Amino acid sequence: MADALEASIAQRISEAQRPVVFSGAGLSAESGVPTFRGGSEHALWSQYDPHQLASVEGFEHQPDVVLAWYEWRRGILADAQPNAAHHALARFKDALLVTQNVDDLLEQAGASADRVLHLHGSIVHDRCHGGCGWSERVDLNEPTASRDCPSCGEPVRPAVVWFGEPLPEVVWEQALAACSEADLLLVIGTSGVVQPAAMLVELASQAGAFVVNLNPEPTQLDSIADVSVHRPAAEVLPELISD
Ligand code: OAD
């Protein structure tokens, strides 16, 4: 344990009655999955315009470009393993794991699917763009080629939430309810700039949760958090979450 502050956070975590974890791309950074923003030259949005690649307009105008980009990201994920932070959260059995991440590294680490809420969908699934409800798990090593929905004939797309699209309703309602009742919110590896997801932090804080923010870099969430620890998640989380 690095210091007395972290020891007191570990105690808060072990005593929490209704803990919620809210994670972002930084949780998977140490698994080799690029973040979207931040100082690294690997940060995805420093290389690409998000509205060209992660939007309905992008997909409808240049489906092959968008699908090639997802194929590349799926290839990175095919080789990625859960890191020590995912494993620590999988052990944190009392906590609901609300994540903006579209990977399934928490589930691969052993977190049961019913306590992982994917606010931004899943890159390891395709779904019907027409909204008929068809969806299937993909092989991350297979090409992400253009194809039509076998159920209704509309185009098939990655099952992620794009800019301008609403969050999955049931998942969002569950996250809102959990954050408004949480006594502890552990925020991990998010810049906190993408709404509405980021408002969960403010909501939990206003409802009385003790908010811990883990991020190696300063972010705007530091001003909402009760305490911030500026260290990488895979280094600090195993120290904070006991077996
Ligand atoms: P960002 O890329 O905006 O932020 C990632 C954060 O992780 C940054 O603040 C980094 O400092 C931090 N970070 C980097 N390495 C870390 C480490 N080892 N441990 C802990 N933190 C680390 O990612 P998100 O906040 O998740 O949306 O972005 C939110 C949404 O923006 C994403 O879900 C995505 C994107 O547009 C969609 O795809 C809809």
Side-chain angles (χ1 to χ4, degrees), residues 23-50:
S23 60
L27 173 63
S28 299
E30 288 155 279
S31 295
V33 182
T35 59
F36 294 91
R37 301 168 191 79
S40 157
E41 75 274 17
H42 302 300
L44 289 177
W45 294 155
S46 66
Q47 302 169 63
Y48 303 106
D49 175 356

mmCIF file of all heavy atoms in Angstrom, residues 23-50:
data_model
loop_
_atom_site.group_PDB
_atom_site.id
_atom_site.type_symbol
_atom_site.label_atom_id
_atom_site.label_comp_id
_atom_site.label_asym_id
_atom_site.label_seq_id
_atom_site.Cartn_x
_atom_site.Cartn_y
_atom_site.Cartn_z
ATOM 1 N N SER A 23 -16.288 2.812 -14.965
ATOM 2 C CA SER A 23 -14.977 2.751 -15.622
ATOM 3 C C SER A 23 -15.027 3.268 -17.055
ATOM 4 O O SER A 23 -16.078 3.326 -17.694
ATOM 5 C CB SER A 23 -14.431 1.320 -15.596
ATOM 6 O OG SER A 23 -15.308 0.446 -16.269
ATOM 7 N N GLY A 24 -13.822 3.609 -17.537
ATOM 8 C CA GLY A 24 -13.652 4.052 -18.921
ATOM 9 C C GLY A 24 -12.434 3.381 -19.535
ATOM 10 O O GLY A 24 -11.864 2.430 -18.964
ATOM 11 N N ALA A 25 -12.007 3.920 -20.665
ATOM 12 C CA ALA A 25 -10.972 3.275 -21.472
ATOM 13 C C ALA A 25 -9.665 3.047 -20.714
ATOM 14 O O ALA A 25 -8.924 2.104 -21.014
ATOM 15 C CB ALA A 25 -10.706 4.110 -22.716
ATOM 16 N N GLY A 26 -9.380 3.877 -19.709
ATOM 17 C CA GLY A 26 -8.144 3.706 -18.941
ATOM 18 C C GLY A 26 -8.059 2.368 -18.227
ATOM 19 O O GLY A 26 -6.959 1.867 -17.960
ATOM 20 N N LEU A 27 -9.228 1.766 -17.937
ATOM 21 C CA LEU A 27 -9.228 0.450 -17.274
ATOM 22 C C LEU A 27 -8.551 -0.601 -18.155
ATOM 23 O O LEU A 27 -7.887 -1.508 -17.655
ATOM 24 C CB LEU A 27 -10.669 0.035 -16.958
ATOM 25 C CG LEU A 27 -10.890 -1.374 -16.416
ATOM 26 C CD1 LEU A 27 -10.200 -1.554 -15.057
ATOM 27 C CD2 LEU A 27 -12.379 -1.685 -16.285
ATOM 28 N N SER A 28 -8.733 -0.469 -19.468
ATOM 29 C CA SER A 28 -8.174 -1.475 -20.384
ATOM 30 C C SER A 28 -6.850 -1.035 -21.004
ATOM 31 O O SER A 28 -6.269 -1.777 -21.806
ATOM 32 C CB SER A 28 -9.190 -1.792 -21.496
ATOM 33 O OG SER A 28 -10.373 -2.327 -20.933
ATOM 34 N N ALA A 29 -6.366 0.167 -20.621
ATOM 35 C CA ALA A 29 -5.142 0.683 -21.244
ATOM 36 C C ALA A 29 -3.965 -0.258 -21.026
ATOM 37 O O ALA A 29 -3.175 -0.512 -21.940
ATOM 38 C CB ALA A 29 -4.823 2.075 -20.700
ATOM 39 N N GLU A 30 -3.869 -0.804 -19.815
ATOM 40 C CA GLU A 30 -2.723 -1.676 -19.524
ATOM 41 C C GLU A 30 -2.885 -3.084 -20.110
ATOM 42 O O GLU A 30 -1.998 -3.921 -19.971
ATOM 43 C CB GLU A 30 -2.478 -1.712 -18.011
ATOM 44 C CG GLU A 30 -1.893 -0.375 -17.530
ATOM 45 C CD GLU A 30 -2.180 -0.109 -16.078
ATOM 46 O OE1 GLU A 30 -3.303 0.346 -15.764
ATOM 47 O OE2 GLU A 30 -1.285 -0.376 -15.253
ATOM 48 N N SER A 31 -4.008 -3.318 -20.776
ATOM 49 C CA SER A 31 -4.164 -4.543 -21.572
ATOM 50 C C SER A 31 -3.762 -4.296 -23.019
ATOM 51 O O SER A 31 -3.916 -5.182 -23.867
ATOM 52 C CB SER A 31 -5.627 -5.018 -21.523
ATOM 53 O OG SER A 31 -5.986 -5.409 -20.223
ATOM 54 N N GLY A 32 -3.323 -3.064 -23.319
ATOM 55 C CA GLY A 32 -2.884 -2.746 -24.681
ATOM 56 C C GLY A 32 -3.990 -2.216 -25.568
ATOM 57 O O GLY A 32 -3.809 -2.127 -26.787
ATOM 58 N N VAL A 33 -5.142 -1.868 -24.984
ATOM 59 C CA VAL A 33 -6.252 -1.318 -25.770
ATOM 60 C C VAL A 33 -6.138 0.206 -25.727
ATOM 61 O O VAL A 33 -6.132 0.781 -24.635
ATOM 62 C CB VAL A 33 -7.617 -1.764 -25.181
ATOM 63 C CG1 VAL A 33 -8.759 -1.221 -26.031
ATOM 64 C CG2 VAL A 33 -7.690 -3.289 -25.089
ATOM 65 N N PRO A 34 -6.046 0.879 -26.881
ATOM 66 C CA PRO A 34 -5.861 2.333 -26.856
ATOM 67 C C PRO A 34 -7.035 3.054 -26.206
ATOM 68 O O PRO A 34 -8.182 2.629 -26.344
ATOM 69 C CB PRO A 34 -5.778 2.724 -28.341
ATOM 70 C CG PRO A 34 -5.571 1.467 -29.098
ATOM 71 C CD PRO A 34 -6.099 0.342 -28.256
ATOM 72 N N THR A 35 -6.747 4.153 -25.491
ATOM 73 C CA THR A 35 -7.820 5.005 -24.969
ATOM 74 C C THR A 35 -8.301 5.909 -26.111
ATOM 75 O O THR A 35 -7.755 5.869 -27.221
ATOM 76 C CB THR A 35 -7.307 5.884 -23.805
ATOM 77 O OG1 THR A 35 -6.233 6.689 -24.283
ATOM 78 C CG2 THR A 35 -6.849 5.033 -22.629
ATOM 79 N N PHE A 36 -9.313 6.700 -25.840
ATOM 80 C CA PHE A 36 -9.825 7.627 -26.855
ATOM 81 C C PHE A 36 -9.111 8.971 -26.783
ATOM 82 O O PHE A 36 -8.788 9.579 -27.780
ATOM 83 C CB PHE A 36 -11.344 7.827 -26.691
ATOM 84 C CG PHE A 36 -12.096 6.573 -26.969
ATOM 85 C CD1 PHE A 36 -12.397 5.683 -25.951
ATOM 86 C CD2 PHE A 36 -12.466 6.242 -28.258
ATOM 87 C CE1 PHE A 36 -13.065 4.498 -26.209
ATOM 88 C CE2 PHE A 36 -13.133 5.059 -28.535
ATOM 89 C CZ PHE A 36 -13.431 4.188 -27.497
ATOM 90 N N ARG A 37 -8.909 9.451 -25.533
ATOM 91 C CA ARG A 37 -8.296 10.769 -25.347
ATOM 92 C C ARG A 37 -7.091 10.612 -24.445
ATOM 93 O O ARG A 37 -6.808 9.538 -23.957
ATOM 94 C CB ARG A 37 -9.298 11.741 -24.713
ATOM 95 C CG ARG A 37 -10.531 11.891 -25.550
ATOM 96 C CD ARG A 37 -11.647 12.617 -24.826
ATOM 97 N NE ARG A 37 -12.870 12.484 -25.626
ATOM 98 C CZ ARG A 37 -13.636 11.384 -25.635
ATOM 99 N NH1 ARG A 37 -13.361 10.358 -24.852
ATOM 100 N NH2 ARG A 37 -14.690 11.326 -26.416
ATOM 101 N N GLY A 38 -6.419 11.733 -24.199
ATOM 102 C CA GLY A 38 -5.292 11.676 -23.268
ATOM 103 C C GLY A 38 -3.996 11.930 -23.999
ATOM 104 O O GLY A 38 -3.971 12.065 -25.231
ATOM 105 N N GLY A 39 -2.896 11.974 -23.235
ATOM 106 C CA GLY A 39 -1.615 12.408 -23.766
ATOM 107 C C GLY A 39 -0.978 11.442 -24.760
ATOM 108 O O GLY A 39 -0.209 11.847 -25.616
ATOM 109 N N SER A 40 -1.327 10.153 -24.694
ATOM 110 C CA SER A 40 -0.624 9.169 -25.505
ATOM 111 C C SER A 40 -0.864 9.373 -26.993
ATOM 112 O O SER A 40 -1.957 9.728 -27.433
ATOM 113 C CB SER A 40 -1.108 7.776 -25.109
ATOM 114 O OG SER A 40 -0.894 6.876 -26.146
ATOM 115 N N GLU A 41 0.181 9.128 -27.792
ATOM 116 C CA GLU A 41 -0.008 9.221 -29.248
ATOM 117 C C GLU A 41 -0.894 8.082 -29.743
ATOM 118 O O GLU A 41 -1.343 8.059 -30.874
ATOM 119 C CB GLU A 41 1.340 9.242 -29.992
ATOM 120 C CG GLU A 41 2.067 7.936 -30.081
ATOM 121 C CD GLU A 41 2.950 7.626 -28.866
ATOM 122 O OE1 GLU A 41 2.782 8.244 -27.794
ATOM 123 O OE2 GLU A 41 3.797 6.734 -28.993
ATOM 124 N N HIS A 42 -1.145 7.089 -28.847
ATOM 125 C CA HIS A 42 -2.033 5.986 -29.222
ATOM 126 C C HIS A 42 -3.502 6.339 -28.994
ATOM 127 O O HIS A 42 -4.380 5.571 -29.353
ATOM 128 C CB HIS A 42 -1.693 4.732 -28.425
ATOM 129 C CG HIS A 42 -0.272 4.300 -28.620
ATOM 130 N ND1 HIS A 42 0.222 3.959 -29.860
ATOM 131 C CD2 HIS A 42 0.763 4.188 -27.761
ATOM 132 C CE1 HIS A 42 1.514 3.639 -29.742
ATOM 133 N NE2 HIS A 42 1.867 3.772 -28.482
ATOM 134 N N ALA A 43 -3.766 7.467 -28.320
ATOM 135 C CA ALA A 43 -5.158 7.835 -28.045
ATOM 136 C C ALA A 43 -5.906 7.956 -29.378
ATOM 137 O O ALA A 43 -5.495 8.687 -30.279
ATOM 138 C CB ALA A 43 -5.224 9.135 -27.256
ATOM 139 N N LEU A 44 -7.002 7.212 -29.500
ATOM 140 C CA LEU A 44 -7.651 7.062 -30.806
ATOM 141 C C LEU A 44 -8.129 8.367 -31.418
ATOM 142 O O LEU A 44 -8.001 8.585 -32.614
ATOM 143 C CB LEU A 44 -8.860 6.122 -30.669
ATOM 144 C CG LEU A 44 -8.542 4.657 -30.449
ATOM 145 C CD1 LEU A 44 -9.826 3.870 -30.253
ATOM 146 C CD2 LEU A 44 -7.761 4.099 -31.625
ATOM 147 N N TRP A 45 -8.691 9.241 -30.579
ATOM 148 C CA TRP A 45 -9.278 10.451 -31.167
ATOM 149 C C TRP A 45 -8.214 11.498 -31.509
ATOM 150 O O TRP A 45 -8.537 12.559 -32.017
ATOM 151 C CB TRP A 45 -10.342 11.052 -30.265
ATOM 152 C CG TRP A 45 -11.596 10.240 -30.048
ATOM 153 C CD1 TRP A 45 -12.417 10.338 -28.960
ATOM 154 C CD2 TRP A 45 -12.208 9.263 -30.904
ATOM 155 N NE1 TRP A 45 -13.478 9.472 -29.077
ATOM 156 C CE2 TRP A 45 -13.369 8.791 -30.259
ATOM 157 C CE3 TRP A 45 -11.882 8.707 -32.145
ATOM 158 C CZ2 TRP A 45 -14.203 7.824 -30.807
ATOM 159 C CZ3 TRP A 45 -12.711 7.736 -32.684
ATOM 160 C CH2 TRP A 45 -13.852 7.311 -32.027
ATOM 161 N N SER A 46 -6.925 11.234 -31.218
ATOM 162 C CA SER A 46 -5.898 12.140 -31.718
ATOM 163 C C SER A 46 -5.532 11.762 -33.154
ATOM 164 O O SER A 46 -4.915 12.541 -33.878
ATOM 165 C CB SER A 46 -4.661 12.119 -30.818
ATOM 166 O OG SER A 46 -4.047 10.855 -30.885
ATOM 167 N N GLN A 47 -5.932 10.564 -33.573
ATOM 168 C CA GLN A 47 -5.599 10.129 -34.941
ATOM 169 C C GLN A 47 -6.793 10.201 -35.883
ATOM 170 O O GLN A 47 -6.633 10.248 -37.088
ATOM 171 C CB GLN A 47 -5.106 8.673 -34.913
ATOM 172 C CG GLN A 47 -3.908 8.451 -34.019
ATOM 173 C CD GLN A 47 -3.650 6.964 -33.836
ATOM 174 O OE1 GLN A 47 -3.356 6.256 -34.777
ATOM 175 N NE2 GLN A 47 -3.775 6.470 -32.613
ATOM 176 N N TYR A 48 -8.017 10.116 -35.306
ATOM 177 C CA TYR A 48 -9.212 10.028 -36.147
ATOM 178 C C TYR A 48 -10.252 11.038 -35.695
ATOM 179 O O TYR A 48 -10.301 11.435 -34.533
ATOM 180 C CB TYR A 48 -9.830 8.627 -36.031
ATOM 181 C CG TYR A 48 -8.899 7.508 -36.382
ATOM 182 C CD1 TYR A 48 -8.360 6.699 -35.392
ATOM 183 C CD2 TYR A 48 -8.558 7.257 -37.710
ATOM 184 C CE1 TYR A 48 -7.499 5.655 -35.705
ATOM 185 C CE2 TYR A 48 -7.697 6.223 -38.038
ATOM 186 C CZ TYR A 48 -7.175 5.424 -37.034
ATOM 187 O OH TYR A 48 -6.332 4.406 -37.347
ATOM 188 N N ASP A 49 -11.114 11.396 -36.636
ATOM 189 C CA ASP A 49 -12.261 12.237 -36.303
ATOM 190 C C ASP A 49 -13.392 11.309 -35.858
ATOM 191 O O ASP A 49 -13.889 10.502 -36.658
ATOM 192 C CB ASP A 49 -12.669 13.033 -37.542
ATOM 193 C CG ASP A 49 -13.936 13.838 -37.316
ATOM 194 O OD1 ASP A 49 -14.542 13.718 -36.229
ATOM 195 O OD2 ASP A 49 -14.321 14.584 -38.231
ATOM 196 N N PRO A 50 -13.808 11.413 -34.581
ATOM 197 C CA PRO A 50 -14.829 10.489 -34.080
ATOM 198 C C PRO A 50 -16.119 10.524 -34.889
ATOM 199 O O PRO A 50 -16.788 9.497 -35.035
ATOM 200 C CB PRO A 50 -15.085 10.961 -32.649
ATOM 201 C CG PRO A 50 -14.409 12.278 -32.512
ATOM 202 C CD PRO A 50 -13.353 12.352 -33.562
#
